[in-house]
Structures are given as structure tokens and as C-alpha cells.
Amino acid sequence: MPLTAARFQSNRVVDFKESVIREMTRIALAHGAVNLSQGYPDFPAPVEIKDAASQAIADDVNQYSITWGSKPFRNAIVDYYRHFYKVEIDPERELTVCCGATEGMISAMLALLNEGDEVIVFEPFYENYWPDSQLCGAVCKYVTMLPPTWQFDYEELRRAFSSRTRAVILNSPNNPTGRVFNREEMQLIVDLCEEFDAIIITDEIYEHIVFDGEKHVPPMTLPGGRQRSVLVNSLSKTYSVTGWRVGWVVADPELTASIRKVHDFVTVGAPAPLQQAGVTALHLPDSYYAELGATYQQKRDLLVRILESNGLRCSVPKGAYYIMADISGFGFKDDLAFCLHLIKEVGVGAVPGSSFFSRAEDGRNMVRFCFAKKIETLELAGERLSKLFRN
Ligand code: GLN
């Protein structure tokens, strides 16, 4: 009997599409375009941590670590949160080291959500949250953030909660908008989670990439937030090592016990030598983080100037390393057509705005550009963008 492939596709993945972000990177690379699509640096990681990784391999840290993370790395994470936020974390019961924040997020959601549960997601949103919810059988309820400041309406947020709400998924500093949720907003969300007995799952991977004096406030540090928070983070963005795939989840012991069950059976554990290098990373001096933010702010300013001078109106991000630009003046059919033209005719890669919306039409006038690049790369993109014409 011939194989009926469709019969072997689970209902969970039937509606999945290829990640548009990674697809754009592939097309951009195939066309030799300057790749400002997928969010990763084109400059080297700090030499101290590269050396630490090589040393760990030479020292034979090459076998499985403890499933939920090597002891030295978990201790370093504890030191890090004590240092930055004065939060005490129990490394034995409140931490799970994962293969990147991506695994942290899906392991947490699979462990904590049930079929039919509702999760609140701020829109536009990083593309993983919908497939993650889908894998759990959970239903996304969207709350709109409106350009150019990407504020949300408190009443709309409140209306999104119901007795079925199990979690809020919040990414701050935010990809793709660059919005940094302030203390009051975080507290409002924590309070609503208390009222409706929900948890708040935060993706905090851009915590140190903040501009204009902004400061990231983890909900875990707020009154009522300690127990209800599931904090997801990773080495990727802070230390420019997106390919290492080392992240972690901090959560209350009972939640952590469930998260560890999923993590254990799905991955066994995160890369052992890279966790060892993570100890060096998490102990870098404060000056490292100050410089990281300052350097990214210069890059933001440069790319905003380049985009604006080529007719792309920007909403200026307060954090993370992306800029959402308005393409409505260019007369393209939609954001995908614009991005394909940009790659093939102009030689610059970007991500169509629609990949960050539940309804494609809401993002059809937007395109996301990444500025985690060398100054030379951004300048080269600038030269090429001057070819962009209004048609
Ligand atoms: N977070 C990065 C981005 O938004 C890359 C992640 C991915 O490959 N999807 O571009």
C-alpha cells in the first residue's frame, strides 16, 4: 500500500508553517544579501567565554551534565539573579537548565498547560508562542500593542482574562517591537494573574539590551510575582552565542518539578561544556552589560537613521535588537513581496511583519530589521537601501 503521508501528520502540527524568520535568513544568504532578518550577531562572542568553552572541552567536560543543569552553572545563575535583582533562587528546586530559551518555553508550557487552556499573548509576538500553544492544545488570546509606542490598553487586557486563562506569555524587552514593559505594567499583569489564578511566563532574553535609561523589571521581583512567575532566559543574546543553545527556567519548586519532567525526557540536558563556559559568562563584570547596552544603542541609532533616510518610517525601540519599519509608502502588494524585492533587488534581508501577527493582514505594512550586526554591516545595508525606490 502506498504511504499516505497526510495520515502520518499529527493534528498538532498540521497548521504549522516553516519559521518565516529562518526562511528569510536562508533566502537572504542564498542571494548574498546583507542579512538583517534573523536575530543573531555577526560579530564574535566575548573571548573569555570562547576560551572557557574550549577549556571545558579540553578538560573533558564532554558527557551529560545533571539533567536540570550542571551544579556550577546553576550556582552561577543563582549568583547572577542575586547580583542583578536581589532574588534568591534555590538551585536544587527552582532551576532547570534547557537547550536555549526556546526549549525552556515549550518545556514550561507543556508541563503547565492543558488542552483547552487559554494563554494571553501580547501582539505582535515572537513567532514561537503560537506553535508552542498549539503543541499544548492551548488557545491564544491576543492583546494588541499599538504602534508607534506599542502601548496596550488595560481594559482590553482585563477582558482577555477568563476562568480558562492559565498563563500570560510576556516577552520584554520585546521582539519585534522593542517595547520594554515598565514596573507598573508588570505589576498590573501580576495582579491580574493573582485575581484569575494564572501564571506569568516571561521571555527575558533581551534583559540587558535596553536603551535611553530603560530598565528591565522581572515580574518575579514584584509583590505577588515570585510564585506565579516562570522566568525564561538564556545565554544567547546577552553573550552573543545564539548557536550554543543554553538557556534556563526559574520557577517555584512545584512548577519546576513539572518542567523538569518534560525537559528530562525531551532533551536529557543542555550541552555540558557550554554550561561550564556559561559560568564564566554569568560572572562577567558589570561593565560588560553597560557596554552591551551602549553599543546596541549606537547601532539602533545608526539603523534608525539609515531606514528613515530611505523612506522607511521607524518606531524607535527601547530595547531588544529589532526595528519595526512602516513600508506602506512603497506600494508593494504586501510585506512578503516587499521583503523578497528587498533581498533580490536591493540585497538586504528583513522579516515580513505579518510573521508576528495572528492575522497576516495586521502586519502587511510592517517589516522587521535586526541591528545585532557590525557597524560595517549596517553601513553596507545602508548603501544598498539607497537603491530602494518608491514604485
Ligand atoms: N530570536 C531571533 C529572531 O527573532 C531568532 C530566532 C529564530 O530563529 N526564530 O530573529
Side-chain angles (χ1 to χ4, degrees):
M1 198 155 113
L3 178 81
T4 332
R7 210 162 68 81
F8 291 95
Q9 191 172 41
S10 79
N11 298 335
R12 284 186 293 274
V13 302
V14 140
D15 295 329
F16 280 28
K17 296 188 184 64
E18 182 186 18
S19 153
V20 181
I21 297 178
R22 291 187 282 282
E23 185 188 9
M24 284 299 135
T25 274
R26 261 197 316 280
I27 303 176
L29 296 179
H31 285 82
V34 179
N35 187 14
L36 307 187
S37 57
Q38 194 177 13
Y40 63 86
D42 69 345
F43 47 83
V47 68
E48 304 91 303
I49 73 170
K50 292 194 292 189
D51 288 349
S54 311
Q55 193 60 49
I57 291 173
D59 289 347
D60 281 321
V61 186
N62 294 310
Q63 310 309 326
Y64 303 124
S65 67
I66 293 173
T67 292
W68 46 84
S70 77
K71 181 75 174 140
F73 188 49
R74 277 181 290 128
N75 286 346
I77 295 172
V78 170
D79 293 344
Y80 175 94
Y81 283 97
R82 184 182 297 135
H83 175 71
F84 282 109
Y85 303 110
K86 301 188 173 53
V87 175
E88 283 303 319
I89 296 164
D90 179 352
E92 302 312 324
R93 302 190 312 141
E94 293 186 304
L95 249 181
T96 313
V97 174
C98 296
C99 300
T102 300
E103 192 247 317
M105 184 61 77
I106 186 64
S107 289
M109 289 173 68
L110 284 169
L112 306 174
L113 301 176
N114 278 315
E115 191 89 26
D117 284 345
E118 290 180 2
V119 294
I120 294 177
V121 175
F122 290 87
E123 185 171 31
F125 57 93
Y126 174 54
E127 61 174 5
N128 277 36
Y129 306 146
W130 179 81
D132 285 350
S133 306
Q134 195 74 3
L135 287 173
C136 302
V139 179
C140 289
K141 294 277 157 188
Y142 299 102
V143 173
T144 314
M145 296 189 287
L146 277 179
T149 56
W150 307 104
Q151 310 276 354
F152 66 91
D153 174 42
Y154 175 73
E155 288 308 321
E156 186 187 341
L157 174 64
R158 199 186 162 82
R159 278 197 306 275
F161 276 84
S162 79
S163 58
R164 288 182 300 280
T165 306
R166 186 74 162 240
V168 176
I169 298 177
L170 178 64
N171 169 220
S172 179
N174 182 260
N175 172 10
T177 65
R179 177 93 158 79
V180 180
F181 284 62
N182 63 33
R183 179 176 298 271
E184 289 69 39
E185 292 167 327
M186 291 291 197
Q187 188 67 62
L188 278 175
I189 299 167
V190 168
D191 292 348
L192 282 168
C193 285
E194 272 203 302
E195 187 182 333
F196 287 87
D197 196 19
I199 52 171
I200 170 164
I201 308 179
T202 51
D203 178 344
E204 305 189 10
I205 62 169
Y206 301 99
E207 67 181 323
H208 294 289
I209 305 176
V210 281
F211 316 125
D212 310 327
E214 291 283 340
K215 207 169 156 19
H216 171 61
V217 181
M220 183 164 281
T221 62
L222 297 176
R226 183 69 177 84
Q227 276 205 308
R228 290 194 178 270
S229 279
V230 176
L231 183 163
V232 181
N233 203 341
S234 92
L235 297 179
S236 294
K237 312 290 182 180
T238 306
Y239 306 102
S240 306
V241 288
T242 61
W244 282 17
R245 317 308 304 133
V246 177
W248 58 87
V249 181
V250 184
D252 167 85
E254 282 189 41
L255 304 185
T256 294
S258 306
I259 296 166
R260 285 179 175 183
K261 287 187 206 172
V262 177
H263 163 73
D264 183 13
F265 286 111
V266 174
T267 72
V268 179
L274 303 182
Q275 292 185 56
Q276 190 56 39
V279 175
T280 303
L282 293 176
H283 287 141
L284 285 177
D286 285 353
S287 56
Y288 172 78
Y289 304 93
E291 201 181 313
L292 183 80
T295 312
Y296 271 125
Q297 184 164 328
Q298 281 169 5
K299 293 180 180 194
R300 174 200 68 173
D301 292 346
L302 174 60
L303 189 57
V304 166
R305 263 201 315 279
I306 289 171
L307 295 174
E308 296 258 349
S309 66
N310 288 294
L312 289 150
R313 247 183 310 121
C314 301
S315 43
V316 180
K318 294 289 185 183
Y321 49 47
Y322 309 98
I323 297 171
M324 282 288 245
D326 182 341
I327 55 160
S328 48
F330 288 89
F332 281 84
K333 181 173 120 264
D334 59 19
D335 53 327
L336 183 60
F338 180 90
C339 283
L340 292 175
H341 171 84
L342 202 64
I343 290 176
K344 293 179 185 164
E345 308 302 329
V346 180
V348 174
V351 180
S354 55
S355 29
F356 305 100
F357 286 88
S358 53
R359 294 180 319 166
E361 59 270 29
D362 291 340
R364 66 196 300 277
N365 287 324
M366 295 177 209
V367 165
R368 190 197 77 173
F369 292 87
C370 170
F371 55 89
K373 305 294 163 192
K374 296 183 209 140
I375 296 286
E376 305 92 90
T377 310
L378 297 174
E379 282 171 347
L380 178 59
E383 281 166 33
R384 294 188 176 185
L385 281 167
S386 57
K387 283 189 282 177
L388 189 61
F389 56 91
R390 287 170 180 273
N391 50 348

